[in-house]
Structures are given as C-alpha cells and as structure tokens.
Amino acid sequence: EDDAAQAAGDPQRRAARRDVGERNAPTQEEIQRGLSGSITCVLVAEDQGRVYAGTAEGQTLVFTTEPGFPVLRWVHSPEDQSSVTCLNCGPSQETGLLVVGTMEGAAHLYTLGQLRHAGSVSISRLLFEGEAQAQGAALRHVRLLTLPASPQLPLTLLTVDANSRFRLWGLKVHGKSGKLKDLRLLLDGGQLREVDCLPATTREKALKAAADKKKAKEALKAAEAMAKEAQEKGQRD
C-alpha cells in the first residue's frame, strides 16, 4: 500500500514541480513554509549584491544581500527537474551569465540582468545514451571563462562531471536577445587522475610517494625472487 501511495504521489509531485517552474518567484506562503528541503550549493556574488542557492528540488533561489536577505526570485528549467549540483557566473560583468549545473548532467544558462533562461548545454543528451546519472553525467563543477576560443566564440565553459571527466565548450550569446546562439565542444579531455587534481606542492609529494611505493614493490619482488632461488639451491644441495 505504501508503494502504491508513493507511486500515486509521484505525478502530483511532478505537477507541483512544473507549477514551480512556470512561476518566477515563490509565494509568501512558500517562503513561510520553507523554500527547500535541502540546499545543495551556494554562490555568493558580492559585486551583484546577490546570493544564489541551488536546491535538491531543482530550483536556484536568488537572494539579495540587503538586510534580512530577502528572496528576489528563483530560476528553474522545466525540462530538468533534477537537483542543482554547482553554480558559477565567472567575471559577472563580462560574462553576464549564471551557470547552473545539475544532477542530470546539464548546464543551464541565465542572464544576470533579467534572470531569463538563455539556453542549456545538455551534456547528458549530447554525449550519453541511456540513464545519464548512472553513467556519472552529473556535473560537479562548472566554470565560465572569458577566454575566447575564437572570435566567434567569446566565452568558454569548463564542466567536470561525477566521473571526473572534464570538457571545454565554446559559447556565444546573442547580444540583443540574450539567447545562446552558438555552442561547440572544444575539448573532451577524458578522466582526470586524482593526482592531477591536487595543488602543485601536494601533487609533487603525491608523485614522490607513488615513485617510492613503486620502488618498494620492486625491492620486495626482488627479495622474494632471491629467497626463492636460495631455497631451491638448498634443496638441490
């Protein structure tokens, strides 16, 4: 019965999420009740006077830094109801975009001025077949850079997923409409090794430790071979 009740409740929860996605801001009742069951990530943008908070329900809440941190609005992609996993806006005055990474493996772009949806980089749909989350497509890190890949692609987006696969994307946003105009995958870098994700000094120590461990293994192997050879020689004598 519990399973049946849960199954029956799923369509209602999905409908509620769709309703949330169609509105720009929470109601006073929702604010009093609580806006999320779990905050998954936070981005403080002092230059904008805003605080962005990603939620398990898939919304990104936008607060101002005025006393009491009042809610300005929220942003949400109706096509992606998965949890928000990471946030970034790069040098905001230059990029003019907020990037929202999700558990589904998508990076949603919003204009900072009006907080309108500018477009999405649906990595899971572009590069994965089948269940994206099961293949580690969930984004763990996004970074918007003002490093042009070409004159036609003035912005670069770095994404790292749950399996440490990093990718670079070239972007161009239309100047007037604010919509994503061009998107290209510049580099599919494969999986980052753990040692490559460490700070330089720690990385050097890790490399030295790995080399020492390898030498110790080789020495142990040589000692075992010598012991075996001595044992066989003693048996022959």
Side-chain angles (χ1 to χ4, degrees):
E1 292 180 0
D2 292 340
D3 293 339
Q6 184 176 358
D10 285 342
Q12 295 177 1
R13 286 196 290 270
R14 288 196 294 269
R17 282 189 173 187
R18 284 195 297 270
D19 173 62
V20 165
E22 291 170 357
R23 291 185 281 114
N24 294 332
T27 64
Q28 193 62 36
E29 181 183 352
E30 287 170 328
I31 293 175
Q32 292 175 353
R33 189 172 62 242
L35 297 177
S36 174
S38 176
I39 299 298
T40 54
C41 53
V42 174
L43 172 66
V44 179
E46 293 186 51
D47 59 332
Q48 302 172 36
R50 293 176 181 174
V51 176
Y52 301 95
T55 70
E57 293 81 10
Q59 296 98 22
T60 299
L61 310 175
V62 186
F63 301 87
T64 71
T65 54
E66 297 175 0
F69 294 95
V71 181
L72 179 64
R73 60 173 294 176
W74 60 30
V75 294
H76 179 266
S77 174
E79 297 181 357
D80 184 357
Q81 299 179 16
S82 63
S83 301
V84 176
T85 54
C86 47
L87 300 163
N88 186 254
C89 56
S92 56
Q93 292 183 350
E94 299 177 45
T95 64
L97 294 172
L98 168 70
V99 185
V100 178
T102 70
M103 186 69 71
E104 187 63 28
H108 303 295
L109 309 175
Y110 299 89
T111 60
L112 291 178
Q114 301 298 323
L115 290 171
R116 292 177 179 172
H117 187 242
S120 297
V121 184
S122 299
I123 303 171
S124 58
R125 297 181 185 178
L126 292 171
L127 301 178
F128 292 88
E129 295 182 1
E131 181 60 35
Q133 292 185 26
Q135 300 180 61
L139 292 184
R140 290 290 177 259
H141 184 77
V142 291
R143 177 75 66 177
L144 192 57
L145 309 169
T146 54
L147 298 174
S150 70
Q152 292 75 33
L153 300 169
L155 297 176
T156 301
L157 176 66
L158 166 70
T159 63
V160 181
D161 66 20
N163 279 351
S164 298
R165 291 174 294 229
F166 75 98
R167 300 178 178 90
L168 291 175
W169 307 80
L171 309 175
K172 183 174 183 179
V173 175
H174 195 279
K176 293 183 178 180
S177 67
K179 294 292 184 180
L180 183 62
K181 184 179 179 181
D182 197 2
L183 169 67
R184 300 180 192 177
L185 176 59
L186 305 174
L187 175 66
D188 190 347
Q191 192 170 29
L192 287 170
R193 297 178 301 168
E194 183 179 359
V195 70
D196 293 329
C197 302
L198 299 172
T201 54
T202 309
R203 183 171 182 268
E204 290 174 1
K205 292 179 182 178
L207 289 172
K208 185 177 183 302
D212 292 343
K213 186 177 180 181
K214 184 179 179 181
K215 287 181 181 178
K217 269 179 134 180
E218 292 174 349
L220 178 61
K221 190 175 180 180
E224 289 175 347
M226 290 176 64
K228 185 178 179 181
E229 183 179 352
Q231 183 180 10
E232 290 176 351
K233 184 178 180 182
Q235 291 174 353
R236 287 196 300 270
D237 294 342

